[in-house]
Amino acid sequence: MSRSLLLGTIGMPGNTAYFGLLDICDPKPGETVVVSGAAGAVGTLVGQIAKLQGCRVVGIAGGEEKCEHLVKELGFDAAVDYKKKNILTAVRRAAPAGVDCYFDNVGGNISNGVMMNMNMYGRIAVCGAITGYNDTKPVLYPALQPTMVAFQLKMEGFFVWRWMHMGRWEEGLNQMTRWVEDGKIKNRETVVEGFENLPAAFIGMLEGKNTGKMIVKA
């Protein structure tokens, strides 16, 4: 087992996916789970864990290659290319029964489109808001409250470190390790050679140039 897994699947990103999905979204067999940033270090794991829970999984990613990876290699039921499709319409087609759980890594218009497809009593775990990290001026989005009230949604933001303070960190790591050893969780990394390229790799990660965990190898 590669040591790099300790930086990804069997590390902080793995626990982020594990606890964020299972504790906050609490998916049930037969429900539909949508994850944005689905081709990233956390998103790839969220989708696979959701499949292990018996859910229909829809991933949102940028580009045909990433979407194909999600469906053909990771077992997602459907993938939406946000660069080419209207999110609200595309999610509605990919999740005709509606969305029960949304794992949000990106925020912005993508999340607004997903939320308009939520089922009654849907749950939303907010892990990140990468679409706005590089904004130089405030961006206005539609108010969330009317949708949340109308569909009686539950939305919760989180930092994964809460589960460390709760004494449950090893629980997540142990379960992720078992799934990897059993072949139930697949891992993909984007490896950049040379420690001097760390800044470029970090910027590339924020621009979505990675599939899976971005690793810099010294």
Side-chain angles (χ1 to χ4, degrees), residues 193-200 216 218:
E193 296 283 347
F195 193 73
E196 69 278 6
N197 292 316
L198 193 152
V216 176

Side-chain angles (χ1 to χ4, degrees), residues 35-195:
V35 53
S36 55
V42 174
T44 53
L45 301 176
V46 169
Q48 293 181 82
I49 295 171
K51 287 300 296 181
L52 291 173
Q53 307 308 305
C55 298
R56 175 178 175 79
V57 178
V58 178
I60 301 174
E64 292 182 8
E65 182 179 346
K66 289 185 178 182
C67 289
E68 186 173 291
H69 169 67
L70 295 178
V71 175
K72 293 187 176 181
E73 296 184 40
L74 300 186
F76 285 48
D77 296 285
V80 172
D81 183 355
Y82 72 83
K83 293 183 177 180
K84 290 187 175 182
K85 299 179 179 179
N86 176 283
I87 294 298
L88 191 155
T89 302
V91 170
R92 185 166 295 163
R93 289 174 177 169
V99 178
D100 300 291
C101 302
Y102 174 41
F103 195 102
D104 185 7
N105 285 307
V106 302
N109 286 324
I110 292 175
S111 293
N112 287 334
V114 175
M115 288 183 64
M116 293 303 294
N117 285 285
M118 297 293 293
N119 285 330
M120 196 71 71
Y121 310 117
R123 291 88 68 198
I124 303 162
V126 182
C127 180
I130 197 170
T131 56
Y133 289 169
N134 294 319
D135 289 344
T136 57
K137 60 180 67 174
V139 179
L140 297 179
Y141 296 107
L144 297 176
Q145 289 86 346
T147 301
M148 294 188 68
V149 171
F151 293 98
Q152 301 186 62
L153 306 177
K154 182 178 76 173
M155 175 185 281
E156 182 176 344
F158 72 96
F159 284 120
V160 70
W161 309 116
R162 80 160 78 160
W163 286 275
M164 177 179 286
H165 300 314
M166 293 166 63
R168 296 180 59 194
W169 196 254
E170 294 300 321
E171 171 195 330
L173 297 184
N174 290 338
Q175 182 60 73
M176 295 302 294
T177 300
R178 286 192 293 271
W179 279 333
V180 170
E181 291 177 337
D182 292 343
K184 295 180 178 179
I185 291 287
K186 296 179 180 179
N187 180 70
R188 180 167 170 178
E189 298 172 341
T190 299
V191 179
V192 175
E193 296 283 347
F195 193 73

